[in-house]
Amino acid sequence: HRGAKTTKELNETYLPPPFDLEKRYASVVCIFMTAVFFFPLIPITPIIASVSLAVTHACDKYLLLRTCNSKSLLFLGPHGAEMAVNICGPFIVLTSVTGFL
């Protein structure tokens, strides 16, 4: 790349995208919490959630091993867990409150 002047610019251009662990974790927790919440209404939700989690696992494994930059997992963002809680927080609160009703 002729326009790149630093190693950082070359890395941004040619390295694969990082694996976004925080968002993937939040997605899995939301799937699980949604299945737990809707289980009394729709008894088939654990089966649907299990299939969804299996597909998510297979996709994440493929992305992590084949297409994403796994070295970025060593340098997680400082607000990663906070972002995961912000994404799936309402589901956790909702299932906790309705569990006591």
Side-chain angles (χ1 to χ4, degrees):
H1 191 294
R2 294 178 186 240
K5 296 180 181 175
T6 63
T7 304
K8 183 178 179 181
E9 291 175 357
L10 284 173
N11 287 342
E12 289 173 357
T13 303
Y14 292 109
L15 282 179
F19 186 77
D20 198 358
L21 185 63
E22 295 92 358
K23 287 184 181 177
R24 302 305 296 172
Y25 177 73
S27 172
V28 167
V29 171
C30 285
I31 291 169
F32 177 76
M33 288 296 172
T34 303
V36 169
F37 177 73
F38 285 109
F39 175 66
L41 299 173
I42 308 166
I44 198 167
T45 54
I47 297 169
I48 296 169
S50 297
V51 170
S52 176
L53 291 173
V55 170
T56 302
H57 172 71
C59 291
D60 287 348
K61 185 176 179 180
Y62 177 80
L63 287 173
L64 185 60
L65 295 176
R66 302 289 179 196
T67 62
C68 288
N69 184 6
S70 60
K71 291 182 180 179
S72 64
L73 289 176
L74 300 174
F75 307 104
L76 294 176
H79 302 292
E82 181 181 329
M83 185 178 71
V85 169
N86 288 339
I87 290 173
C88 63
F91 287 110
I92 295 172
V93 172
L94 188 62
T95 56
S96 299
V97 170
T98 57
F100 292 110
L101 297 178

